[in-house]
Amino acid sequence: MTAPTGPAATPGGGGGRAPGAGARSLEEHLAVVLEGAGPLPARRLPLLEALDLVLAEDVVAAEPLPRFDGSSMDGYAVLAPDVAGAGEGSPAVLDVVGDVPAGAADVPRLRPGAAVRVMTGAPVPVAEDPAATADVAVVQVEWTDAAQTGPPPARVAVRRPVAAGRNVRRAGEDVAAGERVLRPGERLSPRHLGLLASLGRADVLVHPRPRVLVLSTGSEVVEPGEPLGPGQIHDSNSTALVAACREAGALARRVRAVEDDPARLLAVLRAELATADLVLTTGGVSAGAYEVVKEALAADGAVDFVRVAMQPGGPQGAGWLADDAGRPVRVLTLPGNPVSAYVSFEAFVRPLLRVVLGEEERGRPVVEAVVERGWTSVAGKRQLYRVRLERGEDGVARVGAIGGPGSHLVADLVTATALAVVPEDVVAVEPGTTLTCMLLERGGQPSAVGGPASPPATSPRVTDR
């Protein structure tokens, strides 16, 4: 990630605009989040460390693939004319003049009336007469009288004819020497890595995974596994966000939640910035008292705090901090309620991570779905509502609301399989309405996070926190 032009803010110094200057649309805030974002500088990594990363170089085959003519069967290399009349009652009997296992370097030439035993993957003999090169074929062992194991016989009886070139893998038939096989921008799957290894590559140039630091705030927040005191809650946000970042392809880690102490928060950030490309905080960004993130980062403009016209997840912040070496580090501050934090991740953080990873598509897969059970929304806000999506026997995707509007309902979030995108001008989502839905399951074709600004066809409103 590269900061916009101008001095990078440090924890404790900088400039910017005052918070609360008006609500942004979801698209406007996403544009701010993505400002200055781009793939991290490419690095050469071992193949297995490059899985799911985006290629940053052309890959050109230095050698053909396969490198040599090889056998696709255990059997006998022959000249096709020698066995043209072979049959069960009148086999073609040939002298066995060699035995070639896979990996053999010494391969005899093949003369008329002779055969060479070959194993799968072994080099196929070349015809003694160059004019007969195209006639070389491999008869599978099942078509002969030879045993499948043990030493080769002196002679072999071939019971079926074989076409010239049969069971021979030709050099370069998969990839020609000098051929470009992979291009920058391709995401490396296990299949890509297998191809690279086949071409002799031990490493590859890719855009590396961003390092994400996740930090929850609040004096009421306690580590999972520790006993709770009066008024305390376990820190679920940092665990969910680290997992979401990792699922999206980042290297993410969490630190222990920071109490409502701005000086303590700044100290933790100073200590951790050098090992992060992106910092995510949760909590401390609303309009009340004890908003520690706001108090620590807003006064000097390091982070711009705004309200976004979305529900849930209205309070947001975005800015840049600098580590001790002056390197700018992106900082996104998310709301503290668990559902708000997660929805904010899907709306803003996931698209940012995909850009930094070099991906072309930014968001979750989306589908159009018909509402079966309706709900209400808030006028003037883009709502991302928890729904369960199912397809009927007619193939039509249908959704129903899951739980209530509260942004603390974590169990309802687990039950949901999608987020329905409700336009700003809709206050009642009626059954039969068609909505765009972001799928929360893995797989599918990614698409933009921002939904349409107006309802699809039928008019399709929650409380905000």
Side-chain angles (χ1 to χ4, degrees):
M1 280 174 275
T2 304
T5 56
T10 59
R17 89 181 171 96
R24 289 175 179 160
S25 70
L26 188 151
E27 286 82 6
E28 288 170 340
H29 190 64
L30 180 58
V32 171
V33 168
L34 297 180
E35 183 182 7
L40 292 174
R43 291 173 51 194
R44 194 164 293 280
L45 295 178
L47 293 186
L48 290 177
E49 294 181 23
L51 178 63
D52 287 333
L53 295 182
V54 174
L55 187 63
E57 65 174 336
D58 282 313
V59 175
V60 177
E63 296 179 332
L65 187 67
R67 290 183 57 238
F68 52 83
D69 289 354
S71 176
S72 64
M73 291 280 183
D74 291 338
Y76 288 82
V78 300
L79 296 175
D82 285 344
V83 297
E88 290 292 337
S90 55
V93 180
L94 306 172
D95 295 329
V96 178
V97 297
D99 188 23
V100 183
D106 185 15
V107 182
R109 291 184 177 272
L110 190 60
R111 59 175 174 76
V116 174
R117 187 170 74 163
V118 293
M119 301 295 114
T120 302
V124 171
V126 176
E128 195 173 69
D129 180 1
T133 297
D135 292 333
V136 176
V138 174
V139 177
Q140 60 200 70
V141 68
E142 293 86 353
W143 292 3
T144 73
D145 66 347
Q148 296 191 11
T149 59
R155 308 189 82 195
V156 63
V158 178
R159 299 194 180 100
R160 296 190 193 179
V162 65
R166 179 71 180 270
N167 299 326
V168 176
R169 301 166 176 165
R170 296 297 182 189
E173 71 176 14
D174 189 6
V175 176
E179 179 182 347
R180 183 171 69 170
V181 294
L182 297 176
R183 293 168 171 77
E186 295 190 50
R187 189 179 185 190
L188 298 179
S189 69
R191 302 182 302 279
H192 291 83
L193 299 184
L195 172 59
L196 288 165
S198 295
L199 294 171
R201 297 287 296 269
D203 53 40
V204 65
L205 192 67
V206 292
H207 296 294
R209 302 180 190 279
R211 301 165 299 169
V212 182
L213 174 70
V214 179
L215 187 153
S216 292
T217 63
S219 296
E220 78 280 15
V221 178
V222 176
E223 283 288 290
E226 295 184 2
L228 295 175
Q232 293 184 323
I233 59 172
H234 284 125
D235 177 13
S236 63
N237 282 349
S238 64
T239 295
L241 289 174
V242 165
C245 288
R246 291 179 179 177
E247 182 193 50
L251 297 172
R253 62 187 181 89
R254 59 184 290 273
V255 295
R256 191 180 183 94
V258 177
E259 62 271 20
D260 292 326
D261 181 343
R264 172 63 180 155
L265 175 60
L266 289 172
V268 171
L269 288 173
R270 289 190 185 100
E272 300 289 347
L273 279 178
T275 60
D277 301 304
L278 169 66
V279 173
L280 300 179
T281 68
T282 68
V285 295
S286 293
Y290 306 105
E291 302 297 344
V292 62
V293 176
K294 237 181 191 181
E295 291 180 35
L297 301 179
D300 52 23
V303 173
D304 188 17
F305 292 91
V306 300
R307 288 198 67 82
V308 176
M310 63 182 288
Q311 193 284 324
Q316 299 286 336
W320 296 87
L321 301 178
D323 65 13
D324 290 341
R327 180 182 63 93
V329 179
R330 197 49 156 142
V331 177
L332 300 181
T333 65
L334 310 181
N337 281 317
V339 177
S340 298
Y342 180 78
V343 170
S344 298
F345 175 90
E346 294 295 342
F348 306 119
V349 184
R350 182 181 293 277
L352 175 61
L353 291 177
R354 291 184 67 85
V355 169
V356 173
L357 284 162
E359 298 276 7
E360 291 186 5
E361 302 290 349
R362 298 190 315 213
R364 289 283 195 178
V366 297
V367 298
E368 299 296 309
V370 177
V371 175
E372 287 195 320
R373 299 184 306 279
W375 63 91
T376 60
S377 187
V378 178
K381 295 187 178 183
R382 180 82 54 83
Q383 186 186 58
L384 302 178
Y385 201 85
R386 306 177 294 282
V387 295
R388 186 166 186 84
L389 185 147
E390 297 177 346
R391 288 190 183 273
E393 293 182 359
D394 57 3
V396 176
R398 294 180 173 84
V399 295
I402 295 293
S407 54
H408 62 293
L409 302 175
V410 181
D412 287 342
L413 186 60
V414 172
T415 306
T417 60
L419 295 175
V421 182
V422 182
E424 289 85 345
D425 60 350
V426 174
V427 295
V429 180
E430 303 290 352
T433 299
T434 298
L435 292 178
T436 298
C437 297
M438 294 166 34
L439 301 181
L440 299 180
E441 306 297 321
R442 297 191 189 189
Q445 179 62 41
S447 184
V449 169
S454 57
T458 309
S459 201
R461 170 175 139 118
V462 158
T463 58
D464 180 46
R465 278 306 284 212

